[in-house]
């Protein structure tokens, strides 16, 4: 799928869930058998690539931030959930076990040393994944992850480049500065605020 354009993130998420259904089908068996850890690593690599396609993200995004932005739990937690469901097998089990998965996922997200900018913007997973509006695309992923065409991020790959904003001397150009403070984009921010107010989505 293309990084820019193509299916919406909600449609891409559907594709990712179909991909996940293949390794998760036998999760109660392979997740606890010999070589389970190696098998999980291979399956997680596929799972993460699918999640990156959901959000049109770059491959160097942290695992945990990728899963949160894609609104898809880590494969290890999904495999554990399948194993617990296999043992219980009653009507209320699916909902209860999904709540337990979300609890474990939130704990993992809070403890993760990576993706801290994303955690500042999305500290609670449940409201994010249960929202009924908004699609994640290539540009929004850059804002929410901090990985994009920002000088601070580009400097990680070109140590001779400056991380300073071209419009704001001695100020690092990162996602927070570009989207919330840089005067270059003041007009765009004001336009966005007006649109959000008109649609009753946001109140100053």
């Amino acid at each position: 799928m293309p990084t820019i354009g193509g299916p919406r993130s909600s449609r891409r998420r559907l594709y990712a869930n179909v991909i996940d259904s293949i390794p998760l089908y036998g999760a109660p068996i392979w997740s606890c058998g010999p070589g389970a850890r190696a098998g999980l690593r291979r399956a997680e690599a596929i799972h993460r690539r699918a999640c990156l396609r959901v959000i049109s993200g770059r491959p160097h995004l942290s695992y945990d931030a990728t899963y949160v932005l894609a609104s898809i739990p880590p494969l290890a937690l999904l495999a554990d959930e399948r194993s617990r469901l296999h043992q219980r097998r009653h009507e209320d089990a699916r909902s209860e076990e999904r709540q337990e998965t979300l609890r474990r996922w939130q704990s993992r997200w809070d403890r993760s040393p990576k993706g801290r900018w994303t955690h500042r913007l999305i500290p609670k997973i449940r409201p994010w994944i249960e929202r009924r509006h908004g699609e994640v695309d290539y540009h929004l992923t850059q804002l929410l992850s901090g990985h994009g065409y920002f000088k601070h991020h580009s400097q990680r790959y070109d140590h001779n480049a400056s991380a300073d904003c071209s419009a704001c001397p001695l100020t690092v150009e990162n996602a927070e500065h570009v989207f919330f403070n840089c005067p270059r984009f003041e007009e765009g921010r004001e336009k966005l605020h007006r649109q959000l107010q008109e649609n009753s989505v946001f109140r100053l």
Side-chain angles (χ1 to χ4, degrees):
M1 287 181 285
T3 300
I4 300 178
R8 296 177 299 174
S9 60
S10 55
R11 182 65 58 84
R12 292 171 182 243
R13 190 176 304 111
L14 176 62
Y15 297 154
N17 289 334
V18 172
I19 293 172
D20 283 343
S21 68
I22 299 173
L24 289 175
Y25 178 75
I29 299 174
W30 64 256
S31 63
C32 58
R37 181 168 298 181
L40 179 61
R41 282 199 300 268
R42 290 193 294 269
E44 279 186 327
I46 298 172
H47 175 72
R48 180 171 179 268
R49 284 199 295 271
C51 290
L52 283 172
R53 301 323 304 157
V54 170
I55 62 175
S56 301
R58 297 182 170 197
H60 43 255
L61 263 66
S62 74
Y63 276 60
D64 288 321
T66 297
Y67 300 144
V68 170
L69 292 177
S71 300
I72 300 176
L75 189 68
L77 296 182
L78 292 175
D80 286 343
E81 179 182 304
R82 287 294 182 93
S83 297
R84 297 194 305 270
L85 284 171
H86 181 71
Q87 296 172 2
R88 296 186 60 182
R89 296 183 179 180
H90 65 77
E91 293 182 0
D92 298 329
R94 185 175 297 276
S95 176
E96 292 175 2
E97 294 301 343
R98 177 45 57 100
Q99 298 308 312
E100 175 62 17
T101 296
L102 290 177
R103 186 193 67 77
R104 296 185 183 188
W105 188 13
Q106 182 66 58
S107 177
R108 169 173 166 163
W109 182 226
D110 291 338
R111 290 182 287 104
S112 175
K114 297 184 178 181
R116 292 298 83 190
W117 166 248
T118 305
H119 189 276
R120 281 182 59 188
L121 300 176
I122 310 174
K124 300 299 181 183
I125 293 175
R126 184 188 297 276
W128 170 255
I129 66 175
E130 293 181 352
R131 73 191 190 284
R132 297 183 179 276
H133 62 276
E135 299 281 348
V136 179
D137 60 15
Y138 175 70
H139 299 99
L140 184 57
T141 293
Q142 291 187 56
L143 164 62
L144 297 177
S145 67
H147 288 239
Y149 292 102
F150 312 114
K151 289 187 176 181
H152 177 260
H153 183 257
S154 299
Q155 191 185 45
R156 298 170 60 181
Y157 308 99
D158 182 1
H159 299 297
N160 295 320
S162 171
D164 291 344
C165 175
S166 59
C168 308
L170 304 179
T171 301
V172 173
E173 184 188 275
N174 54 22
E176 180 176 10
H177 174 70
V178 167
F179 285 92
F180 297 111
N181 301 308
C182 186
R184 287 179 294 167
F185 307 103
E186 184 63 31
E187 182 178 348
R189 282 193 292 271
E190 291 179 354
K191 180 179 179 180
L192 177 60
H193 284 168
R194 288 195 300 270
Q195 291 175 340
L196 292 173
Q197 287 180 307
E198 291 171 0
N199 292 310
S200 300
V201 175
F202 177 73
R203 287 287 183 268
L204 289 175

